[in-house]
Amino acid sequence: TALTLLEGGKKLASGSLDKTIWIWDLDTGKELKKLEGHKSSVTALILLERGRMLAAGCTNGTIWIWDLDSGKELKKFKGHPGEVTALTSLEGGQQLASGSWEDDTVRIWDLDSCKELKKLEGHTQDVKVLTLLEGGKKLAGGCGRTICIWDLDSGKELKKLEGHTNDVQVLTLFEGGRKLASGSEDNTIRIWDLDSGNELKKLEGHTGMVSALTFLEGGKKLASGSLDKTIWIWDLDTGK
């Protein structure tokens, strides 16, 4: 249910419904380590920037921090009443942002004390994906069918990007962080201008939820993966 790359793409961490995290060697395909102890399924993973640590969000609302060298749990904490669906690292790994579908909030955590620093509210739908903007000054989240932009210093919502007709599943930045691509359960990809908040393009063609996006050729093309079992390559100038 969750994947994240480690060591510059040499290894992969996978979180599962069986309450474990497995670490894989991508050259050999072999399992290197299994992280066990979670009391519920693992639904979100993020590699922390300040060291060889991994954060895991679970369906029971807990967040676990693991040491990847030893495979041992370093700490765990809880604030969300239910499933943690999104994680992203802040402040060079000193803080962590978490999103949930249960309480429809984003919470900011200090990783040394495990204390909640801030709660971002205002949206009324589940948060499934988070990504940093403007070098970590702002945060974007897929909140149901809306994309919310928050100022991290004040904790205030700055704007909403509206256009999708079903839940936003994936977000990725391009053009130096000036534009954002979003994939949704409405089977479309939308391209947004972050300064104006305007939708620039709608890419249509998938017949299933768009679950993965990555840019190619320096942002000139976009690859999208979908539950329709296809991968599409898009020309962003033409939208085709």
Side-chain angles (χ1 to χ4, degrees):
T1 56
L3 297 171
T4 193
L5 289 170
L6 312 175
E7 294 189 15
K10 295 179 181 178
K11 296 178 183 178
L12 180 74
S14 62
S16 172
L17 295 176
D18 68 7
K19 307 175 187 177
T20 67
I21 300 168
W22 290 42
I23 310 299
W24 306 87
D25 185 301
L26 289 179
D27 287 331
T28 64
K30 291 182 179 179
E31 176 203 337
L32 300 174
K33 202 170 289 178
K34 188 193 294 188
L35 310 182
E36 298 180 286
H38 300 106
K39 306 304 180 187
S40 64
S41 300
V42 179
T43 48
L45 293 172
I46 188 76
L47 182 66
L48 298 177
E49 298 169 22
R50 65 176 182 176
R52 295 179 54 81
M53 293 183 291
L54 184 72
C58 301
T59 54
N60 66 358
T62 59
I63 298 169
W64 295 53
I65 309 297
W66 295 90
D67 182 286
L68 287 172
D69 289 326
S70 66
K72 292 182 179 179
E73 170 209 332
L74 296 175
K75 56 187 76 175
K76 62 175 179 274
F77 47 95
K78 181 175 181 177
H80 295 287
E83 182 175 339
V84 177
T85 47
L87 295 171
T88 195
S89 178
L90 310 175
E91 298 289 337
Q94 301 297 314
Q95 297 176 9
L96 185 72
S98 62
S100 171
W101 70 268
E102 185 83 14
D103 63 356
D104 304 334
T105 67
V106 175
R107 301 181 188 230
I108 310 299
W109 306 88
D110 178 85
L111 287 179
D112 286 329
S113 65
C114 295
K115 289 184 178 179
E116 182 183 306
L117 301 175
K118 209 168 285 178
K119 188 191 295 185
L120 310 182
E121 299 177 286
H123 47 288
T124 57
Q125 292 180 295
D126 50 315
V127 181
K128 291 186 176 177
V129 60
L130 295 169
T131 191
L132 285 175
L133 310 176
E134 294 188 16
K137 296 179 181 178
K138 297 177 183 178
L139 184 69
C143 308
R145 62 188 64 183
T146 302
I147 300 165
C148 300
I149 311 292
W150 294 278
D151 179 272
L152 284 173
D153 285 333
S154 67
K156 292 182 179 179
E157 183 184 291
L158 300 174
K159 63 182 74 170
K160 289 181 178 175
L161 311 182
E162 298 178 303
H164 282 295
T165 58
N166 210 329
D167 286 2
V168 176
Q169 294 290 327
V170 60
L171 298 171
T172 189
L173 290 168
F174 68 113
E175 288 198 10
R178 296 189 302 275
K179 293 181 182 178
L180 181 73
S182 57
S184 166
E185 287 184 28
D186 66 10
N187 307 343
T188 71
I189 301 157
R190 315 270 175 143
I191 307 298
W192 307 88
D193 180 273
L194 287 175
D195 288 330
S196 66
N198 292 332
E199 180 186 310
L200 301 176
K201 279 190 181 74
K202 179 166 66 171
L203 310 181
E204 298 179 282
H206 282 296
T207 57
M209 180 181 82
V210 179
S211 55
L213 295 171
T214 192
F215 284 97
L216 310 172
E217 296 184 15
K220 294 179 181 178
K221 294 181 181 178
L222 178 70
S224 60
S226 167
L227 291 191
D228 64 14
K229 302 179 183 179
T230 67
I231 297 171
W232 287 49
I233 309 297
W234 305 85
D235 184 302
L236 290 178
D237 288 330
T238 63
K240 294 180 179 179

